Structures are given as structure tokens and as C-alpha cells.
């Protein structure tokens, strides 16, 4: 019957009464870096410059009247999980030895014109120091990626927060030297149930990040520390400066991601063992055995950043809405 589910589905397709005012400033989630892969090629991690250009310039988002209700519901669930962890810190703060100092604390960098809000600033009683906490609710795909190490774009955001507070907390007060990414999974899978992340909880785990000379050091569950040189604050700000130059000169930035991979790129990923689906691997192997005829590969792959982008039709299909 699904009487209630059908009623909610229809309701989620009706635009809510929300504030649609555009912001002219960038946010930490708009950040990115360019990293060097083992083969010497370059890859962008984080937000696409073209997407951020469209957003800052106030272009209309794609609209075909269809709302993905599962995405909407996932976002709502994420908000409630975020609030739940805040409440847990409030209720169990004394036995945890963790006292919340601030929630949704606003930050602003005038030079780079970016603003944002950090999730939680707390006092770690046992270490006698302030710490930052970023709460991330994730679905099955990202949960699998975040088992052994944090997701790259979340590290980038944490680096920005650490750098900001270190530079802006007044002299004489203790700096925030540790930033935690606290993951909560919206779904279960075998990796979650096996607790491959090393947490006592199945659906809740965290990583700690600190900076050494502007380079993030990631503490992993097995006690190993990783140095992520490509994710330095210097590299992050270089990409910010590049994006600002596009915005100031009204220059449309190049795409940082591909909505559809070429056969050459798919073949390269196959050779590197980076094709996730067994069915796709079988199709690729069969295609290669036939001599890899051009245009005959029955596998379509692309970057999720494009697939979920609110401007993908404008960017890839040349469907242009009027500027706001």
C-alpha cells in the first residue's frame, strides 16, 4: 500500500519555503587540490572550479521538475544524525571528558573571500586542549572508502579549519592542533559490520588530523601516521587563488571532472585494477580480446562529481538557463 511513503514522496517534490539567496563568498567545501598520481599525471580532488564559478556568479541550477527523493531523504537523515552526535556530546560530555565550547562556529577569511561554519569546537579535558570536530554522515559507497583512511575532500576541509584557527586564535590562548573527522554511516554493509575501521561502534568511527608545516598528518586506526603532502594548505590556497582569478576575470574555468570516460581512460583504469564492478571487468576483458574495436565498449563510467552536479546540463549538454 505504502500510503504514508507515497504521501511523503509527493511532498518532497514540492519546493519548500526556503531562503534561496545566493552567497558571493566561497566555502571550505568549495576547496580542492591538484595531486600527482604515481604515473606522473595530475588529478583534481575536491570541488570543481567550473561548478563553483557557476555558483558564485549566480547561474540557475538545472531544473527539469524532477526531485530525487532518495537524495533528499539522505540529506535529511544526515542533518538529524549530525544533531544526534551533538546531543550525545552534550549528554555524555562529562563522562567522555569532552566539553563543547561552540557549535556551528562561523569563520571568515577576508583575503580569500571564503566563509563557513565548523561543526564543533570542544575542550578535551584529558589532553587539556581544544579540538575541532567535523561530523560527516555517509552512505554505503563512501563508508567503504572511509574504512581505513578519511575521504580526501574531508581532509581538505579539516586542513582549512586547522590553518584558520591556528592563525586567528589570539596569542596566549591554546591553539587547536587536532581536527577530528567523525563518520556516521547511514547504511549497513559487510565492512561496517566487520568494524574494519577499528571503532568499538559498527556505524561510528573517527580519524585525527594535525598539521606539520602546513602538511596534514593523518592518524589511522592501526596506529600508523600518514603524511599527505599534496594536501598541504599551500596547495589548497593555490587552487583557491586560481578559482578567484577565473571569477574576477569572468573566465569560465575548465572542467575538473568527466561525466563520461573515454575508452582509453577506462582501459587505463582496468590495467590499474581500478574497475569496481565485476560485470564491467568482464565486458572490458571481452572487448579487449576482440581487439578493442572503437566505439564498441559496452561500459559507461564517469565521475560522480559530474553526475551529482547541479549544473551538469549547462556544462555538458549546453542547456543554458538565464542568469539570475
Amino acid at each position: 500500500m505504502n500510503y504514508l511513503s507515497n504521501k511523503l514522496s509527493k511532498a518532497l517534490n514540492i519546493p519548500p519555503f526556503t531562503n534561496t539567496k545566493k552567497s558571493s563568498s566561497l566555502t571550505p567545501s568549495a576547496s580542492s587540490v591538484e595531486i600527482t598520481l604515481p604515473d606522473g599525471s595530475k588529478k583534481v580532488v575536491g570541488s570543481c572550479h567550473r561548478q563553483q564559478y557557476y555558483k558564485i556568479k549566480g547561474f540557475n541550477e538545472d531544473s527539469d521538475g524532477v526531485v530525487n527523493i532518495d537524495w533528499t531523504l539522505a540529506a535529511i537523515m544526515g542533518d538529524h544524525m549530525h544533531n544526534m552526535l551533538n546531543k550525545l556530546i552534550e549528554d555524555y560530555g562529562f563522562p567522555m571528558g569532552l566539553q563543547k565550547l561552540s557549535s556551528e562556529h562561523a569563520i571568515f577569511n577576508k583575503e580569500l573571500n571564503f566563509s563557513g561554519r565548523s561543526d564543533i569546537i570542544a575542550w578535551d579535558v584529558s589532553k587539556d586542549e581544544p579540538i575541532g570536530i567535523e561530523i560527516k554522515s555517509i552512505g554505503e559507497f563512501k563508508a567503504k572508502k572511509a574504512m581505513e583512511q578519511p575521504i580526501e575532500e574531508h581532509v581538505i576541509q579539516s586542513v582549512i579549519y586547522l590553518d584558520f584557527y591556528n592563525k586567528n586564535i589570539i596569542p596566549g590562548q591554546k591553539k587547536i592542533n587536532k581536527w577530528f573527522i567523525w563518520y556516521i554511516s547511514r547504511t549497513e554493509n559487510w565492512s561496517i559490520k566487520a568494524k574494519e575501521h577499528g571503532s568499538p561502534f559498527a556505524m561510528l568511527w573517527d580519524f585525527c588530523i594535525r598539521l606539520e608545516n602546513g602538511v596534514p598528518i593523518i592518524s589511522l586506526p592501526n596506529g600508523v601516521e600518514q603524511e599527505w603532502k599534496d594536501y598541504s594548505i599551500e596547495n589548497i590556497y593555490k587552487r583557491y587563488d586560481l578559482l578567484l582569478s577565473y571569477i574576477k576575470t569572468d573566465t569560465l574555468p575548465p572542467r575538473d571532472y568527466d561525466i563520461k570516460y573515454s575508452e582509453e581512460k577506462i582501459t587505463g583504469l582496468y590495467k590499474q585494477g581500478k574497475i569496481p564492478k565485476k560485470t564491467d571487468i568482464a565486458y572490458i576483458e571481452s572487448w579487449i580480446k576482440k581487439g578493442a574495436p572503437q566505439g564498441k565498449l559496452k561500459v559507461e563510467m564517469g565521475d560522480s562529481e559530474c553526475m551529482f552536479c547541479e549544473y551538469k546540463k549547462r556544462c555538458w549538454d549546453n542547456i543554458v538557463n538565464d542568469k539570475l
Side-chain angles (χ1 to χ4, degrees):
M1 184 176 182
N2 283 313
Y3 177 73
L4 297 177
S5 299
N6 282 314
K7 289 177 75 67
L8 178 60
S9 172
K10 291 178 181 178
L12 291 179
N13 274 283
I14 300 173
F17 296 105
T18 56
N19 182 3
T20 58
K21 182 180 178 181
K22 300 290 184 180
S23 172
S24 60
S25 63
L26 300 172
T27 65
S29 61
S31 56
S32 58
V33 292
E34 186 177 65
I35 66 173
T36 303
L37 299 176
D39 63 1
S41 62
K42 301 289 186 178
K43 176 186 176 182
V44 169
V45 176
S47 291
C48 173
H49 275 178
R50 180 173 290 195
Q51 177 203 42
Q52 294 303 316
Y53 177 89
Y54 286 144
K55 188 174 295 185
I56 293 297
K57 289 295 184 179
F59 286 95
N60 288 331
E61 298 175 3
D62 297 342
S63 177
D64 53 11
V66 178
V67 175
N68 189 311
I69 56 175
D70 287 318
W71 295 354
T72 303
L73 185 59
I76 294 171
M77 291 170 63
D79 288 340
H80 282 283
M81 288 178 166
H82 184 283
N83 294 334
M84 180 189 73
L85 290 183
N86 264 285
K87 186 68 164 54
L88 285 172
I89 292 178
E90 292 174 2
D91 292 346
Y92 294 91
F94 286 111
M96 287 177 69
L98 200 66
Q99 301 303 308
K100 187 160 67 173
L101 301 177
S102 180
S103 181
E104 296 292 322
H105 186 257
I107 67 171
F108 177 66
N109 184 314
K110 185 176 181 180
E111 293 180 1
L112 293 174
N113 189 35
F114 82 71
S115 61
R117 292 182 180 273
S118 58
D119 285 346
I120 297 173
I121 305 297
W123 189 268
D124 187 342
V125 177
S126 62
K127 300 294 184 181
D128 193 30
E129 64 181 3
I131 61 172
I133 302 172
E134 195 70 12
I135 298 170
K136 296 294 184 183
S137 71
I138 51 180
E140 182 177 1
F141 176 73
K142 285 197 172 182
K144 289 181 179 178
K145 288 184 62 179
M147 286 290 109
E148 298 180 358
Q149 64 181 40
I151 294 170
E152 291 89 343
E153 54 263 35
H154 299 161
V155 172
I156 295 172
Q157 293 178 39
S158 299
V159 170
I160 291 173
Y161 288 131
L162 277 170
D163 180 71
F164 177 85
Y165 285 107
N166 268 276
K167 290 178 178 176
N168 287 278
I169 290 178
I170 62 175
Q173 292 190 7
K174 286 194 173 183
K175 306 288 188 179
I176 299 176
N177 295 314
K178 297 175 184 175
W179 207 271
F180 291 83
I181 303 176
W182 206 1
Y183 286 113
I184 182 166
S185 177
R186 296 191 300 269
T187 59
E188 286 187 305
N189 57 57
W190 291 114
S191 298
I192 291 290
K193 292 178 180 179
K195 299 184 180 180
E196 294 179 6
H197 43 58
S199 168
F201 297 97
M203 302 179 73
L204 192 66
W205 67 101
D206 59 271
F207 297 94
C208 179
I209 300 170
R210 57 186 174 83
L211 292 183
E212 288 188 0
N213 298 317
V215 175
I217 308 297
I218 318 295
S219 297
L220 303 179
N222 58 8
V224 173
E225 290 191 335
Q226 290 183 347
E227 183 181 43
W228 289 23
K229 291 184 179 180
D230 281 334
Y231 295 81
S232 68
I233 192 64
E234 180 182 0
N235 287 346
I236 294 171
Y237 285 165
K238 280 182 181 179
R239 286 276 297 176
Y240 260 126
D241 288 337
L242 181 59
L243 175 57
L244 287 173
S245 70
Y246 290 131
I247 293 170
K248 290 177 181 177
T249 59
D250 288 320
T251 303
L252 185 65
R255 302 182 182 100
D256 288 321
Y257 298 99
D258 294 319
I259 197 167
K260 185 178 180 180
Y261 293 162
S262 66
E263 291 177 344
E264 290 78 14
K265 185 168 185 176
I266 293 175
T267 303
L269 291 172
Y270 166 75
K271 291 179 179 179
Q272 297 171 39
K274 294 182 178 180
I275 303 296
K277 294 182 179 179
K278 292 182 179 179
T279 53
D280 287 343
I281 293 174
Y283 278 125
I284 295 169
E285 290 176 344
S286 174
W287 174 71
I288 291 175
K289 287 179 181 179
K290 295 177 182 177
Q294 190 172 0
K296 299 296 183 180
L297 179 58
K298 296 180 180 180
V299 172
E300 288 193 4
M301 298 177 63
D303 291 315
S304 60
E305 287 82 358
C306 288
M307 295 304 299
F308 297 123
C309 179
E310 63 271 38
Y311 301 103
K312 66 179 180 180
K313 290 183 179 179
R314 171 184 290 276
C315 182
W316 290 99
D317 299 338
N318 295 318
I319 297 177
V320 179
N321 298 320
D322 292 333
K323 183 181 174 183
L324 286 178

